Amino acid sequence: EAGVTQFPSHSVIEKGQTVTLRCDPISGHDNLYWYRRVMGKEIKFLLHFVKESKQDESGMPNNRFLAERTGGTYSTLKVQPAELEDSGVYFCASSPWTGESYEQYFGPGTRLTVT
Amino acid sequence: AQSVTQPDIHITVSEGASLELRCNYSYGATPYLFWYVQSPGQGLQLLLKYFSGDTLVQGIKGFEAEFKRSQSSFNLRKPSVHWSDAAEYFCAVAPSGGYNKLIFGAGTRLAVHP
């Protein structure tokens, strides 16, 4: 079974540019989460999809960030325009909707550097 | 506000020594608690979890953790560390229940000396 995949693994962009990160969850997982870790800080929650619906977007920092999950499969996170403080590692995770494992399966992350 | 504290940013132990990584949380209700590990170039992997029942939980790779409600702690332990355990360890809480957002501590980076 393939794990959570993220693309790209690294992205270097200039301030003011646009970047789109992609996450492919484990097949059949209805829950999809985005997290971000700014260097030296804790991993922080950004938002949570259940299928194609946004269950919780309380962690989105501002309206420069747009997340979508069309069709309830893969998700994209767009940053437009990027600012220096957006640099960090963006993690995606997925989990099934039911059961008691409660485990979120994480991807390897996308390292975003804004210069 | 809900928070998770990992007081040790870096820990160095010798191979074969015992290990305890500390985690304290600030949360009113019965929490869902997790420990994740991140090895270089990898995503986070779940080591173990607690949400009810026996307060001593066993996980993968020989790790265990004990939930102590009175101390609001969920410390991770391993009796004998292997060089392959060198990684970053994260304690996390799901304040709204199992399949909702996780709140993470800042992480503890573990180095293992041969």
Side-chain angles (χ1 to χ4, degrees):
Chain A
E1 178 183 88
V4 176
T5 58
Q6 294 186 244
F7 182 83
S9 56
H10 292 87
S11 180
V12 181
I13 61 171
E14 293 182 353
K15 176 182 173 180
Q17 290 185 322
T18 297
V19 63
T20 300
L21 313 181
R22 173 171 170 144
C23 169
D24 286 78
I26 293 172
S27 178
H29 281 190
D30 288 336
N31 290 295
L32 188 149
Y33 316 82
W34 284 97
Y35 294 87
R36 176 175 74 171
R37 188 183 194 194
V38 173
M39 184 177 293
K41 301 289 185 66
E42 67 271 21
I43 300 168
K44 285 198 170 180
F45 168 81
L46 295 178
L47 88 159
H48 170 200
F49 284 100
V50 178
K51 297 185 179 178
E52 66 274 11
S53 299
K54 292 176 183 174
Q55 176 83 0
D56 180 356
E57 51 185 328
S58 61
M60 294 289 266
N62 52 61
N63 59 9
R64 295 186 293 103
F65 289 75
L66 175 64
E68 295 180 322
R69 192 183 183 195
T70 305
T73 55
Y74 71 92
S75 174
T76 58
L77 180 65
K78 180 189 287 188
V79 185
Q80 180 182 27
E83 298 289 344
L84 298 178
E85 64 264 25
D86 300 333
S87 296
V89 180
Y90 290 76
F91 292 102
C92 175
S94 72
S95 68
W97 177 242
T98 59
E100 290 194 345
S101 76
Y102 303 122
E103 177 175 359
Q104 294 184 21
Y105 296 81
F106 281 79
T110 293
R111 182 174 296 277
L112 174 64
T113 302
V114 182
T115 62
Chain B
Q2 299 150 351
S3 65
V4 178
T5 302
Q6 292 181 247
D8 304 305
I9 298 174
H10 293 278
I11 284 183
T12 300
V13 300
S14 297
E15 191 169 17
S18 64
L19 173 70
E20 182 169 29
L21 303 183
R22 296 181 290 166
C23 174
N24 293 93
Y25 62 90
S26 171
Y27 181 64
T30 301
Y32 290 67
L33 295 158
F34 305 82
W35 274 99
Y36 280 84
V37 60
Q38 185 183 21
S39 299
Q42 305 295 315
L44 281 74
Q45 180 183 23
L46 181 67
L47 284 175
L48 45 77
K49 60 183 181 283
Y50 170 83
F51 41 90
S52 66
D54 192 345
T55 56
L56 183 64
V57 293
Q58 302 296 319
I60 62 171
K61 304 185 181 189
F63 285 92
E64 66 178 25
E66 185 171 14
F67 169 59
K68 292 185 177 180
R69 185 186 303 276
S70 61
Q71 298 176 21
S72 297
S73 69
F74 189 55
N75 293 348
L76 182 71
R77 300 193 294 246
K78 186 169 185 177
S80 178
V81 170
H82 188 262
W83 63 267
S84 61
D85 293 324
E88 192 159 18
Y89 293 79
F90 297 93
C91 181
V93 168
S96 302
Y99 284 122
N100 295 293
K101 67 180 179 185
L102 296 174
I103 296 177
F104 284 88
T108 298
R109 187 170 295 278
L110 174 67
V112 180
H113 279 331

